[in-house]
Amino acid sequence: MSRTEAPPLPEPLRVPVADSHTHLDMQDATVEEALARAAAVNVTTVVQVGCDVAGSRWAAETAAAHPAVHASVALHPNEAPRIVHGDPDGTARQGAREPGGKAALDEALAEIDALAALDRVRGVGETGLDFFRTGPEGVAAQEESFRAHIEIAKRHGKALVIHDRDAHADVLRVLADAGAPERTVFHCYSGDAEMARICARAGYFMSFAGNVTFKNAQPLRDALAAAPTELVLVETDAPFLTPAPYRGRPNAPYLIPVTLRAMAEVKGLDEDVLAAAIYDNTARAFDF
């Protein structure tokens, strides 16, 4: 089987569910094809997430054109340092960029703020901190951008969608210091069980992706077990984090049932019960 070949459609869920975080603009299928495959397995709603100004505009336009799509808009934590300090190696989709400084970051944040006001935009994110790809020189720009996104989310009454990579303590610190919005979602939750209990006390939603199925992910399964069911979401983060047994092949919203069934096993719940809870949680998180 080719590593580039799309996995087969899984057995459909009996209860509709939502993919709380996907990147349709990075997948091979058209939006229409992706939504049709998802609907065929009862994944009836997706949240399309922007990572830069152009991607956020696309997310908002796509949500406006498709009732099954809701948008979230933001500058990814790794995008903020690229805007401020430049990207001479062209590691992002935009290619090489010159340093723009604080003025360029402010301009980009103003565009995100304007998009966040739109009705079909239900979230602000993915924002947060990423100490895996960005070194110490980019931390200040990341935190400034993160704090700005928190204020944008609160100003427009939208969910805040968190990207947290190797930065758990600092993400929690900034949220506590700045004051988290009423609805905050940890996308692709990556903390341990103790952090799940901290998030639960704060009322933060925790969204689990395909990596919860990986053999080496027992700490993540322990966190899922500790997370209250009423705060749990499911996502693909497609085209990334394809669940086992298809790890390494392209991910897409139609693979949500594979991850959800693994989550139901961890939680000791019937899959229908978990699917219904997750749909309700996602609708509550993103107010749709």
Side-chain angles (χ1 to χ4, degrees):
M1 191 70 69
S2 168
R3 299 285 282 179
T4 60
E5 187 176 339
L9 262 69
E11 183 72 22
L13 295 165
R14 291 179 292 271
V15 174
V17 78
D19 180 350
S20 76
H21 193 112
T22 196
H23 302 284
L24 296 170
D25 52 331
M26 302 181 193
Q27 298 168 37
D28 289 337
T30 66
V31 172
E32 291 76 14
E33 288 167 345
L35 294 177
R37 287 177 195 159
V41 296
N42 227 355
V43 178
T44 59
T45 307
V46 305
V47 179
Q48 166 63 26
V49 179
C51 293
D52 53 32
V53 169
S56 294
R57 284 196 202 113
W58 190 90
E61 291 165 1
T62 302
H66 298 276
V69 180
H70 301 278
S72 188
V73 299
L75 308 177
H76 189 283
N78 293 325
E79 175 70 358
R82 292 179 189 130
I83 291 172
V84 174
H85 300 297
D87 187 10
D89 299 323
T91 53
R93 289 187 294 166
Q94 298 93 329
R97 283 181 281 178
E98 294 296 318
K102 186 179 186 309
L105 180 59
D106 289 344
E107 183 180 343
L109 287 167
E111 293 211 43
I112 298 301
D113 189 24
L115 290 168
L118 300 174
D119 180 62
R120 295 291 298 172
V121 173
R122 310 312 302 160
V124 173
E126 55 187 286
T127 182
L129 300 172
D130 186 323
F131 297 160
F132 178 76
R133 294 202 183 280
T134 296
E137 72 286 349
V139 168
Q142 279 199 357
E143 185 163 327
E144 179 182 350
S145 178
F146 184 18
R147 287 176 180 272
H149 282 80
I150 291 171
E151 292 310 308
I152 290 169
K154 289 195 286 191
R155 182 159 56 251
H156 297 290
K158 304 296 170 78
L160 182 73
V161 179
I162 301 290
H163 171 105
D164 163 27
R165 189 164 188 186
D166 294 355
H168 303 323
D170 286 286
V171 167
L172 292 171
R173 168 184 59 81
V174 172
L175 286 173
D177 180 59
E182 181 182 347
R183 290 167 287 115
T184 295
V185 177
F186 272 76
H187 130 71
C188 190
Y189 181 84
S190 59
D192 59 11
E194 178 54 33
M195 182 173 160
R197 287 186 277 270
I198 292 169
C199 288
R201 287 194 293 271
Y204 301 152
F205 291 93
M206 290 160 270
S207 183
F208 290 83
N211 54 339
V212 76
T213 69
F214 295 175
K215 285 182 180 177
N216 62 353
Q218 190 57 47
L220 199 52
R221 289 186 283 277
D222 293 342
L224 172 59
T229 300
E230 64 270 19
L231 293 175
V232 169
L233 310 181
V234 66
E235 67 175 85
T236 55
D237 198 23
F240 314 108
L241 298 177
T242 312
Y246 308 114
R247 186 177 182 180
R249 292 165 65 182
N251 201 3
Y254 74 84
L255 290 173
I256 279 284
V258 179
T259 300
L260 186 136
R261 287 177 176 125
M263 291 171 63
E265 189 171 336
V266 170
K267 297 292 284 179
L269 293 173
D270 177 84
E271 73 174 63
D272 294 359
V273 171
L274 183 60
I278 284 178
Y279 189 91
D280 288 347
N281 296 346
T282 313
R284 194 157 41 92
F286 290 97
D287 193 26
F288 60 72

